[in-house]
Amino acid sequence: MARRGRERGRSGRRPAGDEALLAAFDDPGDGMFTPLERAVVTVALDARRLGHASAIPAALLADATIETLADATAGMPPGRLPGEDPRWLLPVLHELCHGARTRIPGGSSALVEERAGAGLPVIGYHPAAILVEHAGRSRRCVVPAQPFWDAAARHARSLDDLLGLAGAARDRGRIRIAVALYQRVADAGAPGGTAALRELGGLRERIGDHHGAARAYQRAVDVGDRSALAGLARALAAAGDDAGAARAYQQAIDAGDTDQVGWLALLRERTGDHHGAEQLARQAGDAGHRGVWAALARLREQAGDRQDAERFAGEARSLRLWRDLARGRIRAGDHQGAERIARQALAAGAVFVLRDVARRLERADDVQASLRLYRLAVDAGHRTMLAELGQARHRAGDAAEAALAHRQATTAATTTDTTDTTEAATTDAADAALWRESRAREQEGDHDGAARLARRLADAGDHGMLRELARARERAGDRRQAERLARHAADAGDTTALRELALTRERAGDHAGAVRVYRRAADAGDTGAWGGVARMYERAGDPQAAARVYRRLADAGDAALLRDVAWARERAGDPDGAAWAYRQLASTGDTDLLRRLGRAREQVRDLDRTAWAYEQVADAGDPTALHDLARVRRQAGDPPGMRRAYLRAVDAGDTGALRLLTDALGADAGPLLRYGLEPDGQVSPPWW
C-alpha cells in the first residue's frame, strides 16, 4: 500500500483499475469516499466476510451504519443525517454504485446492485471483489459491535445467511450472539431450522447448559431429525436424567446409529447394570467398535475389579490400555499381574507392550520376571528381542548368557536381503562419450579442445561439463579461462558457474574479483547475484553502498532481497530503514521470511524484535502467527499480552485459540466457558 501511495504521489494522478479503488478506500485522506460512504461499505464488507453470502439488504446497511458509526456523519448537511431523513441511505447507495466521484476508469464500483430481474427493484448489494479480498486480510481480526449483529438478525436476506453469520459468531466465541441467530433460524420453521436446532444443542452443551441443550435437541427430534437423538441422549445424561438418556440412546440405535451402542453400554455401567453393559459392549465390538471395551476396562479397574478389567482389555486389544493396566499393576506392587497382562499382549502380537513391562519390572528390581518376559518373546519368534535379552542378562551379571544372546542377535540382524544397487544410465551414449572425451582432453592439457566439447554439451542443454571445467581452470589459476567458460554457460542459460566462481573468489579474499564475476552473473539475468555484490560492499566496510544495491532490487519486488535489505540496514545502524524493508516484505503477501526472522530472533532471545516480526505477519493477514506471538509474550513474562494475542486469534475465527485463551485465563476461565465473549472481547455477563 505504501508503495502504491508513493507511485501515485509521483505521477500526480490516480492509477486506473481496481487497485486504485482499493488504494482510495484504504486512505481516508484520499477524498474519494465520504466518512459515511466508507462506513456503509465497511458494514457490507463485514457482512460478506462473516457469512452473509447473498445480496446484502439496504436495511441491514442502514441500521448497522446508524447504530455503530455515529461519528461517521460529521459534516453532513442538514436533511442528510442518518436518523433525520429515513431515506438518507438512498443517495449514498446511488453514489457508491453509480456516482462519478467514486468511479475510477477501468475499476469496479464500491458496491454493485442486484435486482430481482430486468426492470425490477434492487434487492441488495454486493461489495467489490477486491475490497472483499482486502477486508479478509485487513479486518480478519475485527469483530463488529453489537448493533451490527442486531441489524443482521433483523434484516439478513435468507436463513442461509443467518446460519453463516451464526457460524462466524460461534467460531469467534460469541456464544450469546450465535445462540440468538441460530434461535431466529430455528423459530422460522424452515428446512434450515433443524440444522440450527442441532447447532443450538451443541452450543448449549458446550457451555454447560444441559437442560437447554436437551430442549433444543428434543425440538429437532420432534420435527423428524433423528440425527439429533445422540445429542439428546448426551444432554439428558449430563443433566442427570439417566432413564431419559437410555431411551434416547436406544432410539438412536434403532434408527441405525450403531455408534451409540458403546455410549449406552457406558451409561449402563455407570448406573450399575454391569451385565447389560457387557452385553452392549459385545454388540458394539461385533460392529467394529472395540473402544467401548477399553472404556469399560478402565471403569472396572477403577472399581477394583481387576479380573474383568484384564478380560475386557483382551477384548479391546488396545496397546495403550494393556500398557496402562500393566504399569498400574507395577506401581501397586502386583508384578505377577503385570506379567500376566504382558503375556496377554504378546499373544496378540503386541511385543512392544511386553518390552515396556519387562523394562519396568527390571527397574522395580524384579529381574527374574523381566528376563522371563524377554525369553518368552524370543521363544515366540520375536528375534529382535534377543538384543534386549542380552542387555538384560549383562545387567544381571550373567556374562555367558549375555554373550550368547548378543551372538544370536547379530546372526539374526545379518540375514537380510540384498538389492541390486547398480546405477541406471541417465544420459544417452553420445552425451556420455562427449563427457568422457572432454574430461580426457582437460587431463591431457588440451584445454581448448575440452572447452569445445563442453560447449557442444551446453548447446544440447547440459551445462555440467562447462561448470566442471571452469572449476578446474580456477583451481589451476587460469582465471581468464575460468571466467570465459562460466560466461559460456551463462550465455546458454546457466549462471551457476559464474556464481560458483564469484563465491570461490569471495572465500579467497579477492573481493574485487568476486564483485566483477557477481556483476557478470547479474548482467546475464541472475538478479540474485546482486546480493553477492552488496555483501562484498559490506565486507569492504561500505554498508551504505550495500544497502543502495539491496534497496534498488527490493523496489523491483524481490521478497528474498527485501529480507537482505532489512538485515543490511540493521548492520548499518539504520533501524528505520530496516523497519521499512520489513513492512515492504509484509506487503508482498509473502510472510514466510518474516516468520523465519521471528524464529531466528526468538532463538537468540531478542523477544522485542521477535514479537514485532510475528505482529507484522499477523497484520499481513496470517493470524496463525498470533500463536507464536502469544508464546513470545509468555516468554517475556507478559500474561496480558499473551491473552491479547490469543483473543485476536479468536476474533479471526480460530476456534483452537479459544481453548488456549481459556488455558491462559486459568482459574478465571469459568465465566468465559459458560457465557462466551461479547463483541468487544470482554467476557459476557450471565445470560442464561
Side-chain angles (χ1 to χ4, degrees), residues 182-444:
Y182 281 129
Q183 191 69 56
R184 195 171 184 87
V185 177
D187 292 343
T194 55
L197 285 167
R198 285 198 306 274
E199 290 286 353
L200 275 173
L203 283 174
R204 295 281 186 183
E205 272 192 273
R206 173 172 150 187
I207 61 179
D209 180 9
H210 303 301
H211 293 288
R215 287 194 297 272
Y217 285 131
Q218 185 65 64
R219 283 186 61 189
V221 171
D222 291 345
V223 295
D225 185 2
R226 308 292 284 176
S227 67
L229 281 165
L232 175 60
R234 286 194 310 272
L236 289 171
D241 184 356
D242 292 334
R247 285 194 300 273
Y249 275 131
Q250 191 61 59
Q251 288 176 320
I253 294 166
D254 294 342
D257 188 354
T258 57
D259 290 346
Q260 305 312 312
V261 175
W263 292 107
L264 180 56
L266 295 177
L267 179 63
R268 297 286 191 208
E269 177 74 11
R270 184 165 62 82
T271 55
D273 182 4
H274 304 308
H275 178 69
E278 189 170 344
Q279 284 185 317
L280 287 166
R282 196 164 302 284
Q283 180 183 340
D286 292 343
H289 304 295
R290 290 187 173 274
V292 64
W293 284 117
L296 285 179
R298 293 184 188 280
L299 289 174
R300 294 288 170 96
E301 179 78 0
Q302 291 169 8
D305 187 349
R306 292 184 171 184
Q307 183 177 354
D308 272 357
E310 291 178 24
R311 184 163 59 89
F312 291 169
E315 296 284 357
R317 294 177 176 269
S318 164
L319 302 184
R320 182 176 180 180
L321 176 60
W322 273 320
R323 183 201 66 189
D324 291 348
L325 289 179
R327 288 180 179 180
R329 296 285 194 276
I330 294 171
R331 285 194 298 270
D334 181 8
H335 294 180
Q336 187 177 7
E339 191 175 348
R340 186 170 58 248
I341 292 170
R343 290 171 180 270
Q344 184 183 49
L346 180 65
V351 68
F352 300 110
V353 174
L354 180 142
R355 180 170 61 187
D356 180 79
V357 175
R359 288 174 175 174
R360 289 175 182 275
L361 284 171
E362 186 178 358
R363 288 199 291 270
D365 294 327
D366 194 344
V367 176
Q368 293 307 312
S370 174
L371 290 174
R372 279 197 302 272
L373 290 178
Y374 282 130
R375 175 54 66 186
L376 187 66
V378 171
D379 292 344
H382 297 282
R383 308 293 286 175
T384 57
M385 297 297 289
L386 279 164
E388 297 271 358
L389 176 59
Q391 292 167 6
R393 286 287 188 189
H394 178 75
R395 288 191 294 270
D398 190 343
E401 285 293 327
L404 175 61
H406 281 306
R407 283 197 300 274
Q408 291 174 330
T410 302
T411 301
T414 55
T415 56
T416 56
D417 294 334
T418 59
T419 57
D420 183 7
T421 59
T422 303
E423 184 178 350
T426 57
T427 60
D428 64 31
D431 283 355
L434 284 174
W435 267 83
R436 288 193 297 272
E437 181 66 19
S438 178
R439 192 172 283 139
R441 296 274 184 98
E442 176 68 15
Q443 291 171 353
E444 294 168 0

Side-chain angles (χ1 to χ4, degrees), residues 205 239 378 463 484 507 524 527 543 634:
E205 272 192 273
V378 171
H463 311 109
R484 187 178 297 116
R507 288 170 178 166
T527 57
R634 184 180 67 244

